Amino acid sequence: MEKKSLLQEFYSELLFVENHGKLTAETYLICVQEFLDYLEKSETPLEKVTVQSLLYYTAFRKTSGRKEITLAKDLSALRIFGSFLVRKKIWIENFAHEIGKPKVSRALPKVLEVEQVDSLLASIDVKKPLGIRDRALYEVIYSCGLRISEACSLLIANVHFDENLILVRGKGSKERLVPFGEDAAFWLKKWIFEIRLGLVGSRIIPEVFVNSKGNPISRKGIWKNFKAIGKKTGIEAKVHTLRHSFATHLLSGGADLRSVQELLGHSDLSTTQIYTHIDDSRLEESHRDFFPGHKTE
């Protein structure tokens, strides 16, 4: 099978069989494409790949300056690709499972203080219609710990004001119910019932958040507007920082790890555990601020 057809079939399997999100599927596709390009240059047929071939490829990637996190992502993609090749009877076994995954030291994500989040949100000019949209949008992202893609795809039908709940479709089309606070409820109602209809008109647009033309807002639009807010306030942060802050503030307030995992839509508890380390580091910083002459254990 030619490379292009093989990649197309693999991509379809990632989406419809493995149930990966579009962004993850595209990332894995790029990883596999780079691997196939390497095989072509080294004149190694895909059918002749061995564990040794994969070790050579990993070494090649490492000496090319790829970071550990990239190598780990490569291996995840190759393991799924290997299973696909076994089902296609191109490989007799999944050789990628013989390769050990590199240990990745994850940097702690940036987190804002509650006061910084309040300053960012309060700086939005709500005298303008799109300012009300932005206030509602970022209030919901922070109040619910949403990813940008989840905010983009949030549907009117999935906002329940009676219970202050939204139904979120996350990675791999997994759904979860997430509560939102009173501030988010106030601005959401203002946006949906007072402003949004004037932009959408008579068209049926299922998404909650739309742009100035009444079309669903894009990830780039959300990112660009938030960057402008950060520049205005002097607070350096990304949209995803609101999600990190949501999780950290919940844990600081006494929420248990499992509950935060459910609210964030993490499939693995270890992904959520990184926020406990953030909380520990914040505690150490606070200790140093209040007791600068004492060393922390």
Coordinates of all heavy atoms in Angstrom, one line a residue, residues 20 28 81 117 187 211 236 253:
H20 N -9.9 9.1 19.1 CA -9.0 10.2 19.5 C -9.6 11.5 19.0 O -10.3 11.5 18.0 CB -7.6 10.1 19.0 CG -6.8 9.1 19.7 ND1 -6.4 9.2 21.0 CD2 -6.3 7.8 19.3 CE1 -5.7 8.1 21.3 NE2 -5.6 7.3 20.3
Y28 N -0.5 12.6 16.0 CA 0.0 11.3 15.8 C 0.3 11.0 14.3 O 1.3 10.3 13.9 CB -1.0 10.2 16.3 CG -1.0 10.1 17.8 CD1 -2.0 9.4 18.4 CD2 0.0 10.7 18.6 CE1 -2.0 9.2 19.8 CE2 0.0 10.6 20.0 CZ -1.0 9.8 20.6 OH -1.0 9.7 21.9
F81 N 0.3 3.1 15.8 CA 0.6 2.7 14.4 C 1.0 1.3 14.3 O 0.5 0.6 13.4 CB 1.7 3.6 13.9 CG 1.9 3.5 12.4 CD1 0.9 3.6 11.5 CD2 3.2 3.2 11.9 CE1 1.1 3.5 10.1 CE2 3.4 3.1 10.6 CZ 2.4 3.2 9.6
V117 N -6.8 36.7 38.3 CA -7.9 36.3 37.4 C -9.0 37.3 37.5 O -9.5 37.7 36.4 CB -8.5 34.9 37.8 CG1 -9.7 34.5 37.0 CG2 -7.4 33.8 37.7
W187 N -23.0 36.5 33.4 CA -22.5 37.0 32.1 C -23.0 36.1 30.9 O -23.2 36.6 29.8 CB -21.0 37.1 32.1 CG -20.6 38.2 33.0 CD1 -20.0 38.2 34.2 CD2 -20.7 39.6 32.7 NE1 -19.8 39.4 34.8 CE2 -20.2 40.3 33.9 CE3 -21.2 40.4 31.7 CZ2 -20.2 41.7 33.9 CZ3 -21.2 41.8 31.7 CH2 -20.7 42.4 32.9
N211 N -18.6 34.9 16.7 CA -17.8 36.1 16.4 C -18.6 37.3 16.0 O -19.9 37.2 16.0 CB -16.7 35.8 15.4 CG -17.2 35.3 14.1 OD1 -18.4 35.6 13.7 ND2 -16.4 34.6 13.3
E236 N 0.8 38.4 32.3 CA 1.2 37.4 31.3 C 0.5 36.1 31.6 O 0.8 35.5 32.6 CB 2.7 37.2 31.3 CG 3.5 38.5 30.7 CD 5.0 38.2 30.6 OE1 5.4 37.0 30.6 OE2 5.7 39.2 30.4
G253 N -8.7 25.1 47.7 CA -10.0 25.3 48.5 C -10.5 24.0 49.2 O -11.5 24.0 49.9

